[in-house]
Amino acid sequence: MDANGNPNHIAIIMDGNGRWAQSRGLPRAAGHQAGFKLTRDIVESCGRRQIGALTLFAFSSENWRRPESEVGWLMDLFLRALKSEVGKLKANNVLMRFIGERSAFSDKLQQEMTRAENETAGNTGLKLTIAINYGGRWDIVNAARALAADVQRGDLTIDDIDEERFTNAISIPDCGEPDLFIRTGGEKRISNYLLWHLAYTELYFTDVLWPDFNDQELDVAIDFFNGRQRRFGKTSEQVTR
Ligand code: IPE
Ligand code: IPE
Ligand code: MG
């Protein structure tokens, strides 16, 4: 949370692109294209609002199960989006990076991802993280492996492993836990997103489909957040004192 009570880190599951397109008689790809345009607006809006970190779920480790044509279209969109957006993100002081298993992507896409990260690495504004071929379980297993390797090398003992070390071994330790989680599209589930990180995050679900989400809808979500009392296990009286 920042000094004004606004969320410092927002994590979003951008869901509902397919249904948005289908309800208009359009192919699902048109929904992803519309969703991409909206994503651009929301990134800008978070920059304007001086949100510290925005983490977006673009493609889950389970999304490979979709029809090959849709997966192919999404990969094309990611590549096009990176090529067209990185310059502007760089100019807007956005720090961009990716979490997830990237070895599954084409060489070209991996190169563009690395380029985006390198070109924006020195930026000090919004930390924009794109979760792509990401799974919360994958992240936890990776962290466990990294810590186990440290123990095997003798750099760490088992007793050294605590929640703080685990947090540091998992993706995006520098963003802090998300304060506010938003899922558009009506489903009330986490779909293997940031499982470790969401332990105390305020969860906001809206029926609005991602391409219809906008700045006003973001206001509604932030208002929801500001109306929550975050107790972290304490009593209400302890928190208001
Ligand atoms: C989210 O929208 C985008 C991705 C998973 C890439 P969906 O494609 O899941 O949209 P719905 O849920 O089918 O409407
Ligand atoms: C979650 O949405 C993943 C992304 C938005 C990238 P899905 O649409 O894939 O989730 P499920 O399958 O409905 O749980
Ligand atoms: Mg969906």
Side-chain angles (χ1 to χ4, degrees):
M1 241 181 345
D2 70 13
N4 304 317
N6 285 325
N8 180 55
H9 180 184
I10 301 180
I12 307 183
I13 297 187
M14 311 181 289
D15 196 21
N17 293 348
R19 280 164 285 163
W20 183 92
Q22 277 159 349
S23 72
R24 285 166 175 73
L26 297 169
R28 292 178 60 85
H32 294 312
Q33 181 65 35
F36 161 60
K37 286 199 185 126
L38 194 267
T39 306
R40 220 164 38 189
D41 294 349
I42 293 297
V43 169
E44 269 181 34
S45 170
C46 285
R48 269 199 313 276
R49 291 166 190 260
Q50 300 192 309
I51 302 284
L54 176 66
T55 304
L56 301 174
F57 208 1
F59 193 85
S60 75
S61 42
E62 289 72 36
N63 286 147
W64 298 107
R65 297 173 185 160
R66 293 190 176 201
E68 215 180 305
S69 56
E70 179 165 345
V71 171
W73 208 91
L74 283 166
M75 294 301 140
D76 277 357
L77 177 61
F78 296 145
L79 193 58
R80 276 189 285 122
L82 280 176
K83 285 186 172 161
S84 66
E85 298 308 308
V86 171
K88 198 167 68 190
L89 293 172
K90 186 177 177 185
N92 288 343
N93 201 21
V94 174
L95 173 76
M96 188 185 204
R97 65 257 169 106
F98 301 89
I99 56 173
E101 178 54 63
R102 59 180 83 184
S103 62
F105 297 127
S106 69
D107 290 349
K108 188 88 202 95
L109 186 52
Q110 289 186 53
Q111 278 162 19
E112 285 299 323
M113 289 161 78
T114 307
R115 185 178 72 88
E117 287 176 331
N118 290 342
E119 290 203 8
T120 63
N123 284 351
T124 55
L126 177 71
K127 290 188 172 97
L128 173 65
T129 304
I130 310 293
I132 178 168
N133 193 17
Y134 177 86
R137 289 178 178 167
W138 167 88
D139 205 355
I140 291 169
V141 168
N142 257 359
R145 280 192 183 161
L147 292 170
D150 286 347
V151 171
Q152 197 172 42
R153 273 197 309 272
D155 294 342
L156 213 62
T157 69
I158 288 179
D159 287 340
D160 290 332
I161 300 176
D162 55 12
E163 290 188 14
E164 192 185 339
R165 254 187 227 276
F166 209 94
T167 299
N168 284 328
I170 218 153
S171 300
I172 52 170
D174 62 338
C175 290
E177 295 176 11
D179 299 295
L180 172 63
F181 161 96
I182 299 172
R183 182 173 187 146
T184 61
E187 310 296 351
K188 294 184 176 60
R189 55 179 173 247
I190 305 291
S191 299
N192 198 17
Y193 197 23
L194 302 160
L195 299 181
W196 174 266
H197 311 69
L198 294 174
Y200 263 107
T201 302
E202 300 299 331
L203 305 178
Y204 176 78
F205 297 93
T206 171
D207 289 339
V208 175
L209 303 173
W210 179 246
D212 289 330
F213 197 80
N214 55 27
D215 216 29
Q216 289 73 46
E217 297 293 343
L218 185 57
D219 275 337
V220 177
I222 291 175
D223 283 351
F224 159 86
F225 173 80
N226 286 326
R228 310 318 306 158
Q229 185 187 52
R230 305 190 78 191
R231 292 193 284 275
F232 298 99
K234 295 181 178 175
T235 67
S236 187
E237 290 72 23
Q238 283 176 298
V239 174
T240 46
R241 236 186 345 207

